[in-house]
Amino acid sequence: MNIRDIKLPLYYLIFTLLFILSSTVRTRYVEWEVFFDGTNLYGFEEKKAKTFVLDRLKEIQEEEITIKERGLVYIFKKGEVCQIEPFKIIREVLQEYKEPLLNCSSQEFSSLLIPHGFSREAINFSYGKLLEGYTFIDVPVEILTPLRENAFLLPLKGAVLPLEREYLPNAPRTYRAGVHHGIDFYNGYVGILINNQTSVYASYKGEIIRIDHGYRDISYSEWKKLSQESIRKGFTLPSVLDKFMGRQIHIKHNGDVTTKYAHLSWVRPDLKVGDIVEAGEFIALVGSSGTGGGKPHLHFEVWEGDRYLGADLTPKQARELYDFYFKEW
């Protein structure tokens, strides 16, 4: 056999091996939108994404939390009450493309503070702020807010909080160039049947400060026009957002806390502004008002002053906060 007949196949063999080897070490990127600690890792090199997550976990673990109540001060590291499992979180973020939640134990949090004389009200208040991301928590002399562990009822009897990101606070709302301010209870996602006859209940005792009797719904063409205007502006005007929310009831509670119930199809005709309703009292029916003909669902919000519950958090972190404050029936 001629030596030239051997060289050509060997050359191609070497070239093929080099090509295979080079293709196996190509740079890989995060191919899906996934958030960690508020940062979207989509498009990151996988190695850089892993390094980012690990470095941030170390920082989170060492974060100092300061709690003050009157003359009491206690400082501890976040890792003492929040269970941080780096490899589990790396797997969830980069392999399963899930947004992980830090498992912060309310029991361990309480056991840290109780021996130092902190009140139960201060502990519940501080734990909520810890979940919101605060590192310095100065407990007010009088805690007026009713927001405390399992203080509120979910507004639909038998429902559970949804898991899906698009139904949670801070999920994008591209149709109006904004973000979601509350929880959406849709059929198929919250454990009970949701339709125009689903009853809505007050989550906590309070005073009705708005109830939409004689409401006129917007048409789909009106809805589409408002949507296009919002997209052009790059934000939603408050007056436009109010139209998108449809028929509503707002209830003011202790302190500066307000709950809002939106997209309602019907409200109790005997209720009026100034009336006091009790926790668990029937107030309305689920609907689709303000959606331009969308599916019936309850849109529910909680506000402390001018800040909605879960603001600036990832949707899943916001859900954890709702899970802390709300109890099922």
Side-chain angles (χ1 to χ4, degrees):
M1 181 182 290
N2 192 306
I3 191 70
R4 293 172 61 91
D5 295 332
I6 299 173
K7 283 183 178 180
L8 193 59
L10 283 175
Y11 172 81
Y12 277 108
L13 178 61
I14 293 169
F15 177 85
T16 302
L17 287 171
L18 287 173
F19 177 81
I20 292 171
L21 288 172
S22 65
S23 64
T24 58
V25 296
R26 70 182 186 275
T27 304
R28 299 183 64 180
Y29 295 87
V30 179
E31 298 176 352
W32 298 92
E33 185 178 83
V34 60
F35 286 81
F36 178 74
D37 196 39
T39 299
N40 189 353
L41 299 180
Y42 175 74
F44 273 52
E45 288 185 23
E46 282 196 357
K47 287 184 179 179
K48 288 184 178 179
K50 183 177 181 179
T51 301
F52 172 82
V53 172
L54 289 174
D55 289 347
R56 185 66 191 114
L57 286 174
K58 290 176 185 176
E59 292 172 1
I60 290 171
Q61 200 161 21
E62 295 299 313
E63 273 183 358
E64 282 195 345
I65 310 296
T66 301
I67 312 290
K68 291 182 66 178
E69 182 193 14
R70 297 183 176 88
L72 301 174
V73 179
Y74 189 70
I75 302 172
F76 61 95
K77 290 185 178 180
K78 204 168 193 175
E80 293 181 56
V81 296
C82 297
Q83 185 180 358
I84 296 172
E85 304 173 78
F87 295 107
K88 176 177 177 288
I89 291 173
I90 286 287
R91 185 183 70 251
E92 289 176 343
V93 173
L94 300 181
Q95 295 178 20
E96 300 172 12
Y97 295 111
K98 294 196 310 188
E99 189 179 320
L101 289 176
L102 297 181
N103 180 18
C104 300
S105 167
S106 59
Q107 186 174 357
E108 289 181 21
F109 184 77
S110 297
S111 66
L112 276 180
L113 296 183
I114 286 174
H116 296 277
F118 286 86
S119 67
R120 171 54 60 184
E121 290 78 13
I123 291 170
N124 287 336
F125 175 87
S126 301
Y127 184 69
K129 294 300 180 184
L130 174 71
L131 295 180
E132 287 186 76
Y134 287 84
T135 55
F136 183 85
I137 303 164
D138 191 356
V139 181
V141 175
E142 291 184 8
I143 303 172
L144 298 175
T145 173
L147 283 175
R148 62 184 185 275
E149 185 174 8
N150 289 333
F152 280 69
L153 287 170
L154 287 177
L156 302 177
K157 193 177 290 187
V160 297
L161 291 168
L163 294 169
E164 290 70 21
R165 181 171 180 260
E166 61 267 33
Y167 303 141
L168 300 172
N170 300 313
R173 287 295 180 262
T174 54
Y175 75 88
R176 59 176 178 83
V179 297
H180 202 220
H181 293 162
I183 301 284
D184 278 345
F185 293 85
Y186 273 95
N187 190 46
Y189 297 93
V190 294
I192 62 169
L193 178 66
I194 304 290
N195 58 33
N196 287 326
Q197 297 302 311
T198 304
S199 297
V200 179
Y201 301 88
S203 284
Y204 197 85
K205 180 179 180 178
E207 177 187 353
I208 295 177
I209 58 174
R210 172 176 174 175
I211 183 165
D212 292 344
H213 295 296
Y215 170 81
R216 185 191 75 82
D217 201 358
I218 59 174
S219 65
Y220 174 71
S221 59
E222 289 174 301
W223 182 93
K224 187 174 181 180
K225 183 180 177 182
L226 292 172
S227 172
Q228 290 171 342
E229 289 176 356
S230 298
I231 292 170
R232 279 198 299 270
K233 289 177 183 294
F235 63 93
T236 318
L237 289 170
S239 59
V240 173
L241 180 57
D242 190 65
K243 290 181 180 179
F244 282 140
M245 289 180 69
R247 188 194 300 268
Q248 302 168 59
I249 293 180
H250 297 182
I251 302 175
K252 184 174 176 58
H253 309 286
N254 297 344
D256 203 15
V257 175
T258 302
T259 52
K260 299 181 180 181
Y261 311 75
H263 303 316
L264 305 172
S265 62
W266 177 89
V267 295
R268 265 178 54 187
D270 60 309
L271 294 177
K272 62 184 183 302
V273 170
D275 284 351
I276 302 298
V277 292
E278 299 293 330
E281 185 171 342
F282 169 59
I283 57 173
L285 294 176
V286 168
S288 57
S289 56
T291 67
K295 293 181 180 179
H297 68 284
L298 176 67
H299 174 79
F300 177 72
E301 298 179 357
V302 181
W303 288 77
E304 286 187 278
D306 60 357
R307 182 181 175 85
Y308 62 90
L309 184 63
D312 302 324
L313 301 180
T314 65
K316 288 190 177 181
Q317 287 171 330
R319 185 190 185 280
E320 187 179 35
L321 202 59
Y322 266 86
D323 195 47
F324 173 71
Y325 288 130
F326 283 79
K327 60 184 176 183
E328 298 170 15
W329 289 69

